[in-house]
Amino acid sequence: MALAFPASAIAHEPDGAVADPARDRAAILAMQGEYAVDFAFDETVPLQPAYQRQPPLRSGGHEAVIVVEDAARDGRPDRIVLQHILVDPKSGHVTKHWRQDWHWQAAQRFEFSDEQTWRVRDMPAASAAGTWTQCVYEVSDAPRYCGTGRWHHDDGVSTWTSDLSWRPLPRREYTRRSDYNALSVVNRHTVTPSGWSHEQFNTKVQRGPNGRQRALTREFGFNDYRKSEGVDFRPARDYWAATQAYWARVRERWEPLLTSPSGVHLKTRVDGMAMIVPLFEQAQDVEQGGQVSDTAIDAVFSAWVEPATSPTAALQADR
């Protein structure tokens, strides 16, 4: 059943514009569905004298985007969770992919501050007014990045643009690059007639101690989600129906770590596979009708996740 929101749910933004969280919510929910996806990344502006642009990267796939949560509070949208699941059209094999959570006027968010480390940053109420914070998670539901911005619906086109934030290297890069260790990113999501798009305005940066930074190059990323009717996405929905309760238990372990002021540090290598593999194996056991104990999930977290220790110079300098 659709949620209805009263006129009091409309917020006035600091610049005098009016935010419409109900319309924003509709735009976020428009990203659910079944898609053929193209991923394109092009380095654009070299920022160091000797730097040579790397070849463009192209890939693609088929992805179901499923609504996990659509919650309201005090008559307003509050939190929307979308889970992405990849499907191989030929074999029907599915892979749990990334997750995006949207928070209306978030009071805090996590930020990538150092190698395998994320810290929690408070969001002043004045700057959060009228905004949505999008937080993105790994396939293991480990953190990746958050961004905050407003949805705009000018000329009937719904677009959200984030502020500038840090994110770790993407999988396409850390398997072959060692000359930078962070991306400085602005993200833009737009609902289109054929689906939706995700634009990424990236700067590849080598962050060092004491807040030193060396920007290598800029990059433009374009992820194009087009509605697909020629692929059977039932395996994705069947997988999620069988495992969603298990993954909810995994998210319950992450939640206190990602809201604690100290933040979280992952003891895995950058690829995260030491944690991804056992969690995926447990999910497979559940999918096949087995049971996974809380003790088994906790053992994975105990082995690979810990509270962060001290704030990093990079994040201190950024603030």
Side-chain angles (χ1 to χ4, degrees):
M1 182 175 67
L3 297 177
F5 300 100
S8 60
I10 296 177
H12 290 271
E13 300 176 5
D15 60 7
V18 176
D20 187 345
R23 192 173 183 184
D24 300 345
R25 168 181 172 269
I28 296 168
L29 291 175
M31 289 188 280
Q32 69 179 302
E34 300 168 346
Y35 300 97
V37 191
D38 288 326
F39 304 103
F41 295 90
D42 294 84
E43 293 190 350
T44 55
V45 182
L47 301 175
Q48 295 296 325
Y51 187 83
Q52 298 293 319
R53 288 191 190 94
Q54 297 299 299
L57 296 177
R58 300 289 185 269
S59 62
H62 292 82
E63 199 156 83
V65 182
I66 298 171
V67 177
V68 176
E69 183 178 348
D70 178 16
R73 183 175 61 181
D74 299 329
R76 294 183 177 183
D78 181 55
R79 174 184 168 103
I80 301 170
V81 178
L82 303 177
Q83 177 64 57
H84 293 235
I85 300 178
L86 289 166
V87 178
D88 183 337
K90 294 182 179 179
S91 67
H93 178 75
V94 303
T95 303
K96 179 178 177 289
H97 205 198
W98 62 291
R99 183 181 111 231
Q100 49 174 322
D101 291 10
W102 293 82
H103 305 264
W104 167 249
Q105 299 186 154
Q108 61 181 21
R109 74 185 195 189
F110 60 78
E111 295 187 348
F112 175 59
S113 61
D114 203 348
E115 294 298 316
Q116 296 293 80
T117 303
W118 290 259
R119 297 194 180 279
V120 176
R121 170 188 164 191
D122 290 333
M123 303 280 289
S127 62
T131 69
W132 287 83
T133 293
Q134 181 209 41
C135 292
V136 169
Y137 302 82
E138 256 284 7
V139 299
S140 61
D141 290 320
R144 285 197 58 76
Y145 64 89
C146 293
T148 300
R150 300 182 182 122
W151 280 92
H152 293 278
H153 309 281
D154 301 334
D155 301 320
V157 177
S158 296
T159 296
W160 173 87
T161 304
S162 77
D163 58 354
L164 189 67
S165 64
W166 291 107
R167 61 183 287 185
L169 269 64
R171 191 172 298 273
R172 68 179 185 275
E173 290 280 73
Y174 62 62
T175 56
R176 65 189 190 94
R177 298 283 294 266
S178 59
D179 55 342
Y180 76 102
N181 57 12
L183 286 170
S184 177
V185 180
V186 171
N187 291 287
R188 183 164 65 200
H189 286 245
T190 301
V191 179
T192 68
S194 61
W196 58 281
S197 67
H198 175 197
E199 298 166 88
Q200 301 174 37
F201 303 89
N202 302 330
T203 301
K204 298 180 178 181
V205 179
Q206 179 67 39
R207 298 196 300 191
N210 302 319
R212 289 193 295 270
Q213 300 176 11
R214 181 173 179 265
L216 296 182
T217 184
R218 293 181 186 144
E219 176 188 68
F220 177 66
F222 182 64
N223 301 340
D224 189 21
Y225 290 76
R226 303 177 315 282
K227 296 174 185 175
S228 174
E229 297 180 353
V231 173
D232 184 2
F233 285 90
R234 284 178 297 179
R237 300 193 179 278
D238 291 345
Y239 171 84
W240 190 247
T243 64
Q244 60 181 327
Y246 166 78
W247 287 111
R249 293 163 66 197
V250 172
R251 294 195 302 275
E252 287 175 359
R253 269 71 179 176
W254 283 116
E255 186 70 21
L257 294 165
L258 295 176
T259 55
S260 169
S262 63
V264 63
H265 175 256
L266 302 186
K267 294 183 280 185
T268 69
R269 299 176 65 176
V270 176
D271 63 9
M273 293 305 292
M275 191 169 190
I276 292 170
V277 170
L279 292 179
F280 271 47
E281 288 176 344
Q282 290 178 2
Q284 184 178 43
D285 289 343
V286 171
E287 183 185 14
Q288 295 173 350
Q291 295 185 354
V292 174
S293 67
D294 287 340
T295 301
I297 300 174
D298 291 339
V300 178
F301 276 77
S302 295
W304 301 111
V305 184
E306 63 185 0
T309 52
S310 60
T312 64
L315 186 57
Q316 289 175 332
D318 188 46
R319 292 180 182 176

